[in-house]
Amino acid sequence: MTHVIEAPRADDAASLGPLQLRAWLQTYPCEDAGIDENWIREHRGSSATEEGIAQWREFIEATRQQPDLLFCRVVRSGTEIVGFLCGRAA
């Protein structure tokens, strides 16, 4: 299986929001800290909503306009986005 790392396109926002939520659900549940699926969906679930996807689209566009301040790359396996890395300069 080949993976390709590249800058995201605006239409990738629809995949990034739900992928971010899935990553949180797989990574951060911690009974001792009181973080369960319901907590994650309440506090981070907005990334998979229409509003969250619109924010991803805006961020993707901003990375194109301000590459010295913002960074984002997606990892594709075929046509599916399987990972991403994004950040802001301090």
Side-chain angles (χ1 to χ4, degrees), residues 4-78:
V4 176
I5 300 171
E6 62 187 9
R9 301 181 295 261
D11 62 340
D12 291 332
S15 296
L16 289 172
L19 179 59
Q20 183 180 32
L21 178 57
R22 280 195 314 274
W24 268 83
L25 289 168
Q26 292 173 356
T27 306
Y28 296 111
C30 177
E31 187 176 313
D32 292 341
I35 299 173
D36 60 9
E37 180 178 344
N38 290 332
W39 187 96
I40 292 169
R41 289 188 182 281
E42 181 180 336
H43 291 88
R44 298 292 181 221
S46 64
S47 66
T49 64
E50 286 186 35
E51 182 180 336
I53 292 168
Q55 290 172 346
W56 268 108
R57 195 171 291 110
E58 290 171 11
F59 182 77
I60 291 167
E61 180 57 32
T63 63
R64 293 174 194 259
Q65 295 176 2
Q66 302 172 40
D68 55 329
L69 298 176
L70 303 170
F71 174 86
C72 193
R73 294 293 181 267
V74 296
V75 181
R76 294 183 198 279
S77 177

